[in-house]
Amino acid sequence: GAGVSQSPSNKVTEKGKDVELRCDPISGHTALYWYRQSLGQGLEFLIYFQGNSAPDKSGLPSDRFSAERTGGSVSTLTIQRTQQEDSAVYLCASSLGIGDSGNTIYFGEGSWLTVV
Amino acid sequence: AQSVAQPEDQVNVAEGNPLTVKCTYSVSGNPYLFWYVQYPNRGLQFLLKYITGDNLVKGSYGFEAEFNKSQTSFHLKKPSALVSDSALYFCAVRALISGTYKYIFGTGTRLKVLA
């Protein structure tokens, strides 16, 4: 697609429910990233994919968080048993690759998650 | 540790005046540096990047940034600020950490341009 697409754009869920957030990267981009941004704050790295594999999962905050990527394209971030502290904007980004010099990463509009 | 610092939480500037948003970095090797802008309730938009070459990099919306290796800085500048430039600005660096490239973002600087 023309840009990084994320869905849903907004999600309100009850504490304890599971949520799935979807990211469709720019066509041809092999690298995909998930970040989390709490209200008005900086970016917290969650996970990075190169193709379908995730060389770096170091930012996932707990075992309630998981992510997968299939077909080297769409990625899903799943949060199980949501807690109120999970409320944030979840930003997805993609780039052509990671090995090429200075690749720019492009962000989607984010999925705004509110846990009530 | 490899890091990016944005020392100012907020910068206020009058419309028409020049603006500077500061960024310093600490990485091993040659840094790849980026600036992004985030408008309210939106994702981050790429403004410009420095890879190599000229120290002055020009980007979108009339912004430019100056790479200074000796001062390990990459300050964002614009000669004449517009009210519409009011937004949250993030500096980022690509760094090699434990054999993996990571994009490290600063904490952001809120720019307020006053009419």
Side-chain angles (χ1 to χ4, degrees):
Chain A
V4 178
S5 179
Q6 293 189 245
S7 62
S9 53
N10 282 284
K11 175 74 176 179
V12 179
T13 190
E14 292 181 353
K15 178 180 172 181
K17 300 279 190 183
D18 298 351
V19 296
E20 283 190 355
L21 308 176
R22 175 189 167 105
C23 174
D24 198 348
I26 293 171
S27 179
H29 280 195
T30 62
L32 185 148
Y33 314 79
W34 284 100
Y35 288 85
R36 180 168 72 173
Q37 184 181 28
S38 300
L39 187 63
Q41 301 299 308
L43 273 69
E44 176 187 5
F45 170 79
L46 297 179
I47 188 170
Y48 144 68
F49 287 92
Q50 180 60 43
N52 291 336
S53 62
D56 190 352
K57 305 179 184 179
S58 62
L60 293 177
S62 75
D63 59 7
R64 296 186 295 106
F65 287 73
S66 63
E68 66 174 13
R69 189 178 186 196
T70 55
S73 182
V74 172
S75 175
T76 302
L77 177 69
T78 301
I79 309 172
Q80 295 178 309
R81 305 181 303 281
T82 51
Q83 303 295 313
Q84 288 184 328
E85 62 262 28
D86 299 333
S87 297
V89 180
Y90 290 82
L91 293 165
C92 179
S94 70
S95 70
L96 274 172
I98 192 67
D100 298 332
S101 61
N103 264 311
T104 303
I105 58 174
Y106 295 94
F107 284 84
E109 293 293 318
S111 289
W112 297 69
L113 175 66
T114 303
V115 182
V116 297
Chain B
Q2 311 208 55
S3 62
V4 172
Q6 293 182 245
E8 302 154 316
D9 289 336
Q10 180 158 323
V11 170
N12 295 331
V13 63
E15 186 175 31
N17 282 2
L19 69 87
T20 298
V21 182
K22 296 180 180 176
C23 172
T24 59
Y25 64 90
S26 174
V27 295
S28 53
N30 294 322
Y32 297 148
L33 296 154
F34 304 82
W35 275 102
Y36 288 82
V37 60
Q38 184 178 35
Y39 297 102
N41 302 319
R42 303 293 302 276
L44 276 69
Q45 293 180 32
F46 169 71
L47 278 179
L48 51 80
K49 67 181 178 184
Y50 172 83
I51 306 303
T52 187
D54 289 342
N55 290 341
L56 186 64
V57 178
K58 294 188 183 296
S60 306
Y61 311 121
F63 283 93
E64 58 191 27
E66 186 169 11
F67 171 66
N68 188 316
K69 188 172 184 178
S70 63
Q71 296 184 4
T72 62
S73 67
F74 189 56
H75 301 330
L76 181 70
K77 301 183 179 185
K78 186 173 182 181
S80 179
L82 299 172
V83 172
S84 57
D85 293 330
S86 298
L88 188 57
Y89 290 80
F90 289 96
C91 181
V93 64
R94 193 188 81 158
L96 185 61
I97 300 173
S98 302
T100 303
Y101 283 109
K102 284 191 175 182
Y103 291 83
I104 302 171
F105 284 80
T107 51
T109 297
R110 192 165 299 280
L111 174 67
K112 190 168 185 179
V113 181
L114 306 169

